[in-house]
Amino acid sequence: MITSSSFPLLCLTISILFLLPLPPSHSADPDPLQDLCVADLSASTPADYNFPCKPISEITSDDFFFDGLTKPGNKTKVFGVSVSAGNVLTFPGLNTLGISLNRVGFAPRGIVPPHSHPRASEVGVVMEGKILTGFVTTKNVFYSKVLTAGEVFVIPRGLVHFQLNVGEGEALEFTAFNSHLPGSATVPLNLFSATPSIPDHVLTKTFLVGEDIIDNIRSKFRF
Ligand code: GLV
Ligand code: MN
């Protein structure tokens, strides 16, 4: 019960709550606090991927150079795509800069299946071929475009998106992120290839199908 003696205290509490700066609903990679902080990857991987800086006396021009996007990365056969990732783990010079990029090569009809990046928005430019790309909002609205060379599409942070090669031949896209390690959660792998497995009855109830269908889908993600 609010008594006349507790009323001033209540007013004070409410004003403090409104005056306190609200924590940002989305926080990005923190701003760098120094010119150079090349990641020392030999230090044990910190849980938050804030790598320590290697000693400035050991930094060379090579730390700011990366040729990992000159060639296709590991191909995921089942999806027909290969991703070469230029992030802090492969390119330590990106540490603390809040940026990274991928080269994504598509076989004909190859797909980057629905996935999301918990720590970054993504902007992608098609270099070659024809790609259908799109994302879905938290209100289940779908936005998409078919892109050809030179065209760009942006994916807001955290939203589920995909890219599908809809051209005749191969396709190539470069994607860039506002995080030195955007992370990637791939929906079908999350659901059907997690370790340990998500129990079947969770998936049968989720997709309103029988266990045979879940087992069948699961079997396709045993690489
Ligand atoms: C494409 O969506 C990528 O994450 O590189
Ligand atoms: Mn992506």
Side-chain angles (χ1 to χ4, degrees), residues 34-43 49-54 58-68 85-101 180-181:
Q34 61 287 303
D35 283 357
L36 307 178
C37 179
V38 173
D40 178 1
L41 296 181
S42 67
Y49 292 111
N50 270 328
F51 289 95
C53 314
K54 79 183 204 184
E58 289 174 22
I59 292 178
T60 70
S61 299
D62 282 342
D63 288 311
F64 305 104
F65 171 78
F66 181 63
D67 65 359
N87 58 44
V88 67
L89 299 177
T90 54
F91 183 5
L94 294 182
N95 194 38
T96 76
L97 302 184
I99 50 174
S100 58
L101 74 177
H180 70 199
L181 195 65

Side-chain angles (χ1 to χ4, degrees), residues 38-169:
V38 173
D40 178 1
L41 296 181
S42 67
S44 60
T45 308
D48 56 3
Y49 292 111
N50 270 328
F51 289 95
C53 314
K54 79 183 204 184
I56 204 117
S57 57
E58 289 174 22
I59 292 178
T60 70
S61 299
D62 282 342
D63 288 311
F64 305 104
F65 171 78
F66 181 63
D67 65 359
L69 304 192
T70 57
K71 34 196 180 296
N74 293 337
K75 223 190 196 97
T76 319
K77 230 163 140 207
V78 65
F79 297 127
V81 287
S82 61
V83 178
S84 317
N87 58 44
V88 67
L89 299 177
T90 54
F91 183 5
L94 294 182
N95 194 38
T96 76
L97 302 184
I99 50 174
S100 58
L101 74 177
N102 285 346
R103 170 197 170 120
V104 191
F106 298 77
R109 289 172 297 286
I111 187 167
V112 180
H115 65 286
S116 66
H117 305 290
R119 295 183 287 277
S121 297
E122 169 182 320
V123 63
V125 57
V126 171
M127 307 304 290
E128 182 192 322
K130 199 169 168 191
I131 290 174
L132 166 67
T133 182
F135 65 84
V136 185
T137 68
T138 54
K139 302 219 167 17
N140 299 321
V141 181
F142 175 50
Y143 295 91
S144 73
K145 264 299 184 203
V146 172
L147 307 179
T148 55
E151 295 179 335
V152 169
F153 200 64
V154 66
I155 314 285
R157 173 160 149 184
L159 298 187
V160 170
H161 61 285
F162 67 86
Q163 287 95 348
L164 173 68
N165 181 359
V166 291
E168 297 297 318

